[in-house]
Amino acid sequence: MDPMVGAIIASQALGSVVSFKGTKNAAKAARQVAEFNSETARNEAVLLARAKVDEEAGLRRQGERLKGAQGVATAKSGIQLTGSPLQALASTYYGIESDAARIRYASDIQQVQKASEVALINIQGQARSQALKTQAYANLLGDVSSTFATGKAIS
């Protein structure tokens, strides 16, 4: 075999191997990016949950101040805490609980959205990684075929 032909075939084979390794590394990087994005979304879910807990606590503090102010105003007026003043306090209490329930519900919705986002990121990352791996093998097979055809044509 002519040394030039051997060099051409060797360079094509080397290019095929380098291309294969590069595409395999891209598949690994796609998986790592998906893992990072997934972890980021999980962390965001934790932060959102903490924010909703803080929001609910703030609402409750505000409600306690309101109930206290209503109780003081009622006591200051000399009216006993029965009838309409009691209904006003009950209404305040139920309003606070209703708002707190809405905050918890909104938090649950956010958590489900983030869990869905994490799942989607993982699925997309796996699909992208698998597609790149498949592409790497397909390219390698095509390059090997091309190298053999080149070798046969030159010989």
Side-chain angles (χ1 to χ4, degrees):
M1 176 185 279
D2 184 11
M4 185 59 91
V5 171
I8 291 172
I9 292 173
S11 69
Q12 281 185 333
L14 180 62
S16 297
V17 169
V18 169
S19 173
F20 174 77
K21 293 295 270 175
T23 308
K24 289 281 282 185
N25 286 338
K28 181 180 177 183
R31 185 179 40 79
Q32 289 172 335
V33 166
E35 288 170 3
F36 175 80
N37 289 341
S38 177
E39 187 62 29
T40 300
R42 278 190 213 93
N43 290 339
E44 287 173 358
V46 169
L47 293 175
L48 287 170
R50 288 179 184 167
K52 287 298 181 184
V53 167
D54 290 344
E55 184 180 346
E56 183 180 350
L59 171 74
R60 291 189 181 282
R61 281 191 303 274
Q62 223 177 1
E64 289 301 318
R65 283 193 297 270
L66 177 60
K67 287 190 294 188
Q70 286 176 332
V72 168
T74 301
K76 187 176 177 182
S77 70
I79 300 172
Q80 293 212 345
L81 199 53
T82 59
S84 293
L86 185 58
Q87 287 175 338
L89 277 175
S91 177
T92 299
Y93 174 77
Y94 291 124
I96 292 167
E97 290 306 313
S98 175
D99 290 347
R102 279 192 211 103
I103 290 170
R104 286 191 302 272
Y105 180 69
S107 179
D108 290 345
I109 289 172
Q110 287 177 336
Q111 295 306 306
V112 168
Q113 288 172 334
K114 282 298 172 182
S116 297
E117 182 181 337
V118 167
L120 182 61
I121 288 168
N122 287 335
I123 289 169
Q124 288 174 334
Q126 289 171 356
R128 177 84 174 123
S129 178
Q130 194 59 45
L132 287 167
K133 285 178 187 177
T134 302
Q135 180 184 354
Y137 286 107
N139 289 347
L140 182 63
L141 288 174
D143 290 345
V144 167
S145 175
S146 175
T147 300
F148 281 127
T150 301
K152 197 169 193 174
I154 293 175
S155 298

